[in-house]
Amino acid sequence: MSSYVKRVGDLTEPVELSASQIAEKMTSTVDTGFDPVTKPAHYAGHTGIECKQAMESMLGTDEYVSYMQGCAFKYLWRWKSKNGIEDLKKAHECIENMLEALEGGAS
């Protein structure tokens, strides 16, 4: 198993959670730490794994970085016409995600 998978979480051995544990994780994930730019509630999984972590695990680092590059471009392209400064912050977050992936989680 690559160090990459260990970095984002070993998804090969699922952990069984009780209904109450799942409910607790859903509540804590959605209600705490919500930020529309860096941690939107609608990207939190019921197990506490964020969408971007699952995506990087599924795609691999190179493809994940390419995807984040495309997202950053999208936010930079539309910022004046759609969400203004929030889109610039989202582009910045995408670039931070790229750096973190490329640096192995060191940033």
Side-chain angles (χ1 to χ4, degrees):
M1 181 170 303
S2 72
S3 62
Y4 158 77
V5 173
K6 290 178 185 173
R7 181 168 48 84
V8 295
D10 184 356
L11 302 178
T12 60
E13 298 178 24
V15 176
E16 295 295 323
L17 299 174
S18 69
S20 63
Q21 289 172 316
I22 291 172
E24 182 180 327
K25 281 188 171 283
M26 288 177 70
T27 302
S28 66
T29 302
V30 173
D31 292 341
T32 60
F34 171 75
D35 181 307
V37 173
T38 62
K39 194 171 186 169
H42 56 277
Y43 284 124
H46 70 276
T47 62
I49 296 172
E50 289 189 44
C51 180
K52 64 184 180 183
Q53 292 172 315
M55 187 180 299
E56 185 180 359
S57 180
M58 178 186 73
L59 295 174
T61 301
D62 291 341
E63 287 81 5
Y64 173 75
V65 168
S66 293
Y67 175 76
M68 283 293 140
Q69 182 179 356
C71 288
F73 177 80
K74 170 187 72 174
Y75 291 124
L76 289 170
W77 184 269
R78 73 180 199 187
W79 79 274
K80 287 183 182 179
S81 302
K82 191 165 182 186
N83 295 322
I85 292 187
E86 184 174 307
D87 274 357
L88 291 176
K89 290 179 181 179
K90 287 179 180 181
H92 182 263
E93 178 67 15
C94 290
I95 294 167
E96 287 293 322
N97 291 340
M98 292 168 66
L99 289 169
E100 185 175 330
L102 292 169
E103 294 173 347
S107 67

